[in-house]
């Protein structure tokens, strides 16, 4: 065995050192933290309203049987699974807003397979969050509430059920704009981070 063989096998001492740590990210401003929390909770009231509808609680706008008629055999089980899936997806998506103000938005938690402990690509996070903000803003402001406002009602009065429905779904109007504001704050914080 020659010394060149040993040099190839022995790692250099500097290669054993961990990579240099990234400078810490400046803390999120208080308004961004609160905005992220409100955005994360904005999907809960509508999810609870849908679950109440499927369980037969009178919600005033639609009867349970009318809702279940859209599913095969008027299945309450399929309707409940659908409602829970929609709620879980919406809640998970809104929960990701918190990543823009928490440490796991900078470094992926170690418990996550494949990406755990790795730095989050800030550019990708800003792009994904911006597209998400645009999507939910258009979805709730234009398609849902825009359609609701332009649909002629059977009578000019407002029922208690309609008030409950609007109260449950109105927080969704906050989700997109708040996500956009928190994304802007996240982007500015990453640009302000000192370079190593």
């Amino acid at each position: 065995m020659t010394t060149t063989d040993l040099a190839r096998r022995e790692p250099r001492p500097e290669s054993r050192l961990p990579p240099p740590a990234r400078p810490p990210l400046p803390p999120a401003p208080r308004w961004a933290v609160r905005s992220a929390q409100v955005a994360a909770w904005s999907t809960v009231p509508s999810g609870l309203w849908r679950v109440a509808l499927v369980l037969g609680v009178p919600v005033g706008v639609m009867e349970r049987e009318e809702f279940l008629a859209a599913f095969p055999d008027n299945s309450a089980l399929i309707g409940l699974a659908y409602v829970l899936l929609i709620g879980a997806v919406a809640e998970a998506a809104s929960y990701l807003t918190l990543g823009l103000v928490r440490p796991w938005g900078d470094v992926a938690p170690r418990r996550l397979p494949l990406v755990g402990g790795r730095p989050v690509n800030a550019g990708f996070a800003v792009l994904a969050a911006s597209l998400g903000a645009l999507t939910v803003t258009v979805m709730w402001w234009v398609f849902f509430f825009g359609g609701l406002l332009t649909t002629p009602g059977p009578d000019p009065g407002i029922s208690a059920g309609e008030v409950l429905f609007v109260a449950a779904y109105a927080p969704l109007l906050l989700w997109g704009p708040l996500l956009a504001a928190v994304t802007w704050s996240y982007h500015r914080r990453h640009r302000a981070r000192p370079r190593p």
Side-chain angles (χ1 to χ4, degrees), residues 13 32 34 47 51 61-62 80 83 85-87 94 104 113-114 116 134 143 149 153 175-176 184 188-189 194 196:
R34 293 230 169 94
V51 169
V61 174
M62 180 186 292
L80 183 60
V83 162
L85 179 65
I86 294 292
S94 66
W104 54 270
L114 303 175
L134 178 65
F143 295 137
L149 294 174
W175 184 9
W184 177 77
R188 287 188 48 111
R189 287 173 41 233

Side-chain angles (χ1 to χ4, degrees), residues 23-116:
L25 193 62
R30 184 176 294 154
W31 69 263
V33 173
R34 293 230 169 94
S35 297
Q37 292 167 342
V38 170
W41 283 96
S42 67
T43 57
V44 172
S46 60
L48 293 174
W49 185 91
R50 287 189 300 271
V51 169
L53 172 68
V54 172
L55 293 178
V57 175
V59 292
V61 174
M62 180 186 292
E63 296 298 324
R64 177 179 188 222
E65 290 73 27
E66 184 182 348
F67 176 75
L68 294 178
F71 299 99
D73 299 326
N74 296 340
S75 172
L77 186 60
I78 294 173
L80 183 60
Y82 169 78
V83 162
L84 291 177
L85 179 65
I86 294 292
V89 168
E91 195 56 40
S94 66
Y95 181 76
L96 289 175
T97 308
L98 294 174
L100 300 172
V101 296
R102 300 254 172 96
W104 54 270
D106 189 39
V107 177
R110 294 208 175 274
R111 65 182 171 269
L112 293 178
L114 303 175
V115 296

